[in-house]
């Protein structure tokens, strides 16, 4: 038997999958989702799949080396990086024009991805490269909240709405398949862009692997100076994250529970200043702690120490922080929107994010009822065991096999 020929034959028969990573850790959910996709890619059978990773920043390096994934760094033309934001999508020119323009602006970048000859490329951050390159791509649509929550300017201001519409329509048109987070998310894609159900693949989120870590930074207690008992809300300060109603609920509870406390995590941008002004106007400066950006290393400890997660966001269909709460056994109360009841079941209390009184009631129950918190904690851990990274990896492989098969046919 010629071992070398057999190895060459095995290599040539493997399905080659490419993954493009363009997000940064500060992008939050996008980066976390990328980590889940990487773990799933690393779990693919080596005798059937070869995976190559293209990344734009060295900040992915430690994860890629740990998983043993072959990778290379790649950068875009500076002029294109300046131009590729919102502007080109808002110009009334066909995508075919921009496909040619992109190749001319970025010939080295384009050839590098094309010459890998992958059966399928995956773009976890919903990148425009999903359709700007002549590749078989697996598109991803995390949400269509610009359509379903049009009152929030960060998603549905006129120009932003047009940009998102053109972007998501192109993903739907040019992708071989589309990943969504839930049955609700799949339904929204189908009804919005008339996508056939066969092209929709539901792959629910999982919490990032670091959430199961038992360690934290040595100086954790001096770095954060947390109160003994507190609610926790990790979210950037976007309007749709609903800090306004959360603070209103907290102010209402303060009249009954003087020592009630809320800890927020998020960078000082977007609606941060507006949130701070409202917080001070409600006389809550002694009841709210804002930690700013918190490293992945310290997040699990915050879930372990908090009384409960409060998640009043208006956006879905589903979200990652409640899954982190499930994994850590953290009780929670969340918005009863879109796919959230599907995602969490009996692991959470639910409330209308528009109804401050409902939010107050849920928070009061969590603050005062130890038995309820213990039950929700147990339910969350059971739910986390039913759908975890191993489950995600298995479903990912099934989807890859399905989409790659249609791409090769």
């Amino acid at each position: 038997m010629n071992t070398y020929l057999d190895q060459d034959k095995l290599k040539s028969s493997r399905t080659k999958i490419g993954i493009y990573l363009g997000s940064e850790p500060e992008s939050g959910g996008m980066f976390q989702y990328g980590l889940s996709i990487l773990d799933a890619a690393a779990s693919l059978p080596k005798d059937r799949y070869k995976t190559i990773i293209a990344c734009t920043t060295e900040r992915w390096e430690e994860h890629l080396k740990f998983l043993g994934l072959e990778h290379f760094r790649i950068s875009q033309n500076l002029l294109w990086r300046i131009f590729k934001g919102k502007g080109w999508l808002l110009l009334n020119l066909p995508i075919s024009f921009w496909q040619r323009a992109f190749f001319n602006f970025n010939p080295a970048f384009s050839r590098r991805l094309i010459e890998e000859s992958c059966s399928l490329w995956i773009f976890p951050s919903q990148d425009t490269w999903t359709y700007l390159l002549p590749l078989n791509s697996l598109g991803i649509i995390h949400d269509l909240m610009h359509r379903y929550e049009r009152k929030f300017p960060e998603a549905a201001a006129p120009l932003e709405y047009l940009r998102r519409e053109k972007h998501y329509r192109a993903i739907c048109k040019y992708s071989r398949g589309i990943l969504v987070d839930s049955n609700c998310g799949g339904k929204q894609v189908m009804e919005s862009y008339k996508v056939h159900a066969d092209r929709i693949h539901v792959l629910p989120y999982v919490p990032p692997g670091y959430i199961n870590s038992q360690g934290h930074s040595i100086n954790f207690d001096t770095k954060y100076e947390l109160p003994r008992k507190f609610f926790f809300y990790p979210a950037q300060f976007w309007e749709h994250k609903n800090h306004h109603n959360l603070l209103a609920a907290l102010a209402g509870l303060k009249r009954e529970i003087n020592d009630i406390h809320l800890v927020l995590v998020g960078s000082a941008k977007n609606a941060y200043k507006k949130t701070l002004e409202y917080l001070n106007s409600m006389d809550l400066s002694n009841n709210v702690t804002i930690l700013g950006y918190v490293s992945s290393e310290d997040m699990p400890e915050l879930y372990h120490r908090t009384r409960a997660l409060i998640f009043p966001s208006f956006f879905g269909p589903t979200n990652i922080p409640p899954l982190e709460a499930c994994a850590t056994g953290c009780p929670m109360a969340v918005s009863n929107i879109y796919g959230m009841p599907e995602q969490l079941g009996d692991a959470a209390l639910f409330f209308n994010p528009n109804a401050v009184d409902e939010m107050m009631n849920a928070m009061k129950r969590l603050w005062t009822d130890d038995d309820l918190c213990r039950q929700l904690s147990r339910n969350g851990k059971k739910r986390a065991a039913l759908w975890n990274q191993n489950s995600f990896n298995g479903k990912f492989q099934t989807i890859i096999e399905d989409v790659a098969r249609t791409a090769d046919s």
Side-chain angles (χ1 to χ4, degrees):
M1 179 182 291
N2 190 321
T3 304
Y4 293 108
L5 289 178
D6 288 342
Q7 288 178 345
D8 289 341
K9 184 177 180 181
L10 175 63
K11 289 179 180 178
S12 65
S13 66
R14 290 188 295 172
T15 300
K16 190 174 183 181
I17 304 298
I19 300 176
Y20 176 84
L21 302 172
S23 60
E24 298 277 357
E26 291 80 9
S27 62
M30 289 286 191
F31 188 82
Q32 294 170 2
Y33 185 72
L35 292 176
S36 297
I37 292 291
L38 281 184
D39 194 293
S43 75
L44 292 171
K46 300 299 186 291
D47 61 332
R48 296 174 55 192
Y49 295 93
K50 174 180 174 58
T51 304
I52 186 73
I53 312 296
C55 57
T56 59
T57 171
E58 72 281 356
R59 300 175 77 178
W60 285 101
E61 293 284 337
E62 60 178 294
H63 303 287
L64 295 167
K65 289 177 180 177
F66 176 77
L67 292 169
L69 290 169
E70 183 179 343
H71 61 278
F72 61 90
R73 291 274 301 280
I74 192 167
S75 60
Q76 304 155 29
N77 176 283
L78 178 60
L79 289 175
W80 180 261
R81 289 210 311 269
I82 293 171
F83 182 62
K84 82 171 185 70
K86 299 181 180 180
W88 74 274
L89 276 169
L90 297 176
L91 295 175
N92 190 27
L93 292 168
I95 292 295
S96 58
F97 172 88
W98 294 114
Q99 290 172 332
R100 293 191 297 272
F102 172 67
F103 191 91
N104 291 331
F105 266 109
N106 299 265
F109 180 98
S110 304
R111 289 194 185 97
R112 185 69 172 91
L113 295 186
I114 293 169
E115 289 172 358
E116 286 295 331
S117 300
C118 293
S119 296
L120 196 66
W121 273 95
I122 304 170
F123 298 89
S125 299
Q126 307 177 133
D127 298 276
T128 53
W129 324 135
T130 306
Y131 48 83
L132 285 178
L133 289 175
L135 304 169
N136 290 324
S137 63
L138 178 57
I140 294 171
I141 296 181
H142 292 297
D143 71 77
L144 295 175
M145 292 298 105
H146 69 291
R147 280 177 159 257
Y148 292 89
E149 294 289 346
R150 298 194 64 172
K151 60 181 175 291
F152 297 105
E154 59 264 29
L159 292 181
E160 179 64 14
Y161 182 90
L162 291 174
R163 183 193 73 81
R164 293 193 183 208
E165 272 296 283
K166 191 169 185 178
H167 177 57
Y168 291 126
R169 284 184 185 279
I171 287 178
C172 290
K173 180 177 180 179
Y174 292 98
S175 299
R176 290 286 178 171
I178 300 165
L179 288 181
V180 295
D181 68 326
S182 60
N183 292 319
C184 176
K187 180 180 178 182
Q188 290 179 349
V189 171
M190 287 188 285
E191 69 186 14
S192 295
Y193 303 120
K194 311 306 177 189
V195 177
H196 195 277
D198 289 348
R199 293 179 59 221
I200 300 293
H201 302 276
V202 178
L203 185 63
Y205 298 144
V206 288
Y210 65 71
I211 203 65
N212 296 312
S213 170
Q214 298 300 314
H216 54 78
S217 58
I218 298 174
N219 61 339
F220 183 93
D221 289 302
T222 56
K223 182 164 43 172
Y224 298 119
E225 297 183 357
L226 297 170
R228 182 185 60 82
K229 187 176 181 181
F230 61 93
F231 287 126
F232 183 45
Y233 185 32
Q236 296 293 344
F237 291 94
W238 294 107
E239 295 280 358
H240 71 265
K241 294 298 185 180
N242 203 16
H243 290 86
H244 186 278
N245 282 351
L246 176 56
L247 292 174
L250 190 73
L253 283 176
K254 183 182 176 182
R255 290 192 285 269
E256 301 180 50
I257 308 169
N258 187 59
D259 65 341
I260 198 157
H261 205 97
L262 171 68
V263 170
L264 302 174
V265 168
S267 303
K269 56 185 179 180
N270 306 318
Y272 172 80
K273 184 178 179 181
K274 185 177 179 180
T275 301
L276 205 59
E277 291 172 351
Y278 186 66
L279 182 157
N280 290 325
S281 72
M282 299 291 284
D283 192 27
L284 290 172
S285 58
N286 293 325
N287 300 85
V288 178
T289 299
I290 302 178
L291 301 181
Y293 173 74
V294 172
S295 68
S296 300
E297 177 187 17
D298 290 333
M299 284 297 289
E301 186 67 10
L302 286 167
Y303 280 102
H304 288 304
R305 294 196 185 193
T306 187
R307 177 67 174 185
L309 172 76
I310 307 298
F311 199 84
S313 177
F314 284 104
F315 276 21
T318 63
N319 289 277
I320 291 177
L323 295 178
E324 295 176 327
C326 284
T328 55
C330 173
M332 72 184 104
V334 304
S335 300
N336 61 354
I337 55 165
Y338 304 114
M340 295 298 286
E342 170 192 343
Q343 183 185 37
L344 300 172
D346 62 359
L349 301 181
F350 294 97
F351 57 82
N352 179 347
N354 280 303
V356 172
D357 57 340
E358 286 190 27
M359 202 185 309
M360 283 177 57
N361 182 59
M363 292 170 70
K364 183 177 180 179
R365 291 180 64 193
L366 290 171
W367 192 265
T368 59
D369 192 334
D370 293 342
D371 290 337
L372 172 64
C373 287
R374 281 190 286 268
Q375 185 61 55
L376 290 174
S377 176
R378 288 192 292 268
N379 294 348
K381 288 181 177 179
K382 289 179 182 178
R383 201 160 188 86
L386 292 174
W387 180 258
N388 53 31
Q389 185 67 53
N390 288 335
S391 314
F392 184 98
N393 294 354
K395 184 67 179 292
F396 178 82
Q397 181 179 336
T398 301
I399 293 170
I400 291 297
E401 291 171 350
D402 186 15
V403 178
R405 184 170 55 250
T406 62
D408 291 336
S409 61

